[in-house]
Amino acid sequence: SFEQLCINLTNEVLQRNYTRAIFDKDVEDMRGEGVSVEAVKFRDNAQCIELLQGPRNSILSFLDDSSTLDFERSQTNPNLTFLSRVTAQHRPDFQTAPPPKGTKSVLDREEGGKSPSDYFFRGRLDDDTFTIKHYAGDVKYKVHGFVEKNIDVLKESTQVALLTSTDELIKQVLTIEEDSIGLLSGGLDGSSS
């Protein structure tokens, strides 16, 4: 589910921060004390994090793009459209490429990925699912509800509470200046088109 993807993304970031803090700091301390230290090898999950939340061509960037579309009037399933876009970017040959020989799981756990696409897998029989090679193991996600859950909708009661707030900071944040309205509704010169 979408919520599990968010939890696993958080775990990936925490693992990366922990690994860097512990290993990098220990190596630095040992070298500072004159201890000869060979390079400490550990699995770097930076490419997995890039796949999940990178600024371009990541799962979350494709999901945000899909969430801004008007899916209520769309003739296609927005979740499958999202999955198709991610697949086209990271595993375009998923329908024709056989699984690699000798893999221990859906994705080869022995080798770290050299690119974000190395952490994404979609098998020939997968219809609305994809698999991510996370630090802790492979996780298969079903995309049903991803787009809908990613849409930020403010409840009407919350909107009313914010708009009628007497707090000066909230009023200041919610205030839209006339110039901004012109830019939003018209051209760059502020005139409406």
Side-chain angles (χ1 to χ4, degrees):
S1 72
F2 176 67
E3 294 85 358
Q4 189 62 53
L5 179 75
C6 294
I7 291 167
N8 291 341
L9 169 59
T10 302
N11 289 336
E12 289 287 345
V13 173
L14 287 172
Q15 180 64 43
R16 174 132 169 109
N17 291 339
Y18 173 80
T19 302
R20 283 194 162 178
I22 296 300
F23 288 115
D24 291 349
K25 179 77 169 111
D26 283 351
V27 168
E28 184 181 308
D29 288 347
M30 287 189 266
R31 285 187 180 140
E33 294 174 9
V35 177
S36 177
V37 180
E38 291 186 28
V40 177
K41 291 186 179 182
F42 56 90
R43 188 177 304 146
D44 186 3
N45 63 345
Q47 295 299 322
C48 182
I49 294 170
E50 183 73 17
L51 167 68
L52 294 170
Q53 73 170 13
R56 294 187 56 227
N57 299 327
S58 69
I59 289 176
L60 289 183
S61 69
F62 281 119
L63 187 57
D64 285 343
D65 289 347
S66 296
S67 298
T68 59
L69 301 174
D70 186 3
F71 66 88
E72 290 179 3
R73 292 188 295 172
S74 175
Q75 299 298 317
T76 61
N77 181 329
N79 296 301
L80 294 180
T81 302
F82 152 72
L83 181 57
S84 294
R85 292 182 68 209
V86 173
T87 302
Q89 176 64 39
H90 295 288
R91 196 63 66 191
D93 60 348
F94 88 99
Q95 288 290 5
T96 57
K101 290 186 179 188
T103 55
K104 295 180 181 165
S105 68
V106 176
L107 303 166
D108 188 358
R109 298 293 307 160
E110 297 301 316
E111 193 175 311
K114 295 178 177 95
S115 76
S117 295
D118 293 337
Y119 291 84
F120 179 86
F121 182 80
R122 190 160 175 221
R124 287 192 258 183
L125 299 177
D126 291 340
D127 47 4
D128 62 347
T129 61
F130 63 93
T131 301
I132 298 293
K133 177 181 169 181
H134 287 287
Y135 186 86
D138 303 343
V139 178
K140 192 171 202 172
Y141 298 97
K142 188 172 182 132
V143 297
H144 178 73
F146 265 48
V147 172
E148 293 85 351
K149 291 176 182 177
N150 189 53
I151 295 175
D152 293 328
V153 178
L154 209 53
K155 291 184 178 180
E156 187 177 341
S157 60
T158 305
Q159 290 177 359
V160 170
L162 288 172
L163 292 172
T164 59
S165 174
T166 58
D167 184 274
E168 289 303 316
L169 178 61
I170 292 176
K171 284 182 180 181
Q172 186 178 11
V173 169
L174 295 176
T175 301
I176 299 176
E177 296 181 22
E178 290 295 322
D179 293 339
S180 298
I181 293 173
L183 285 174
L184 293 174
S185 64
L188 292 175
D189 61 356
S191 64
S192 58
S193 44

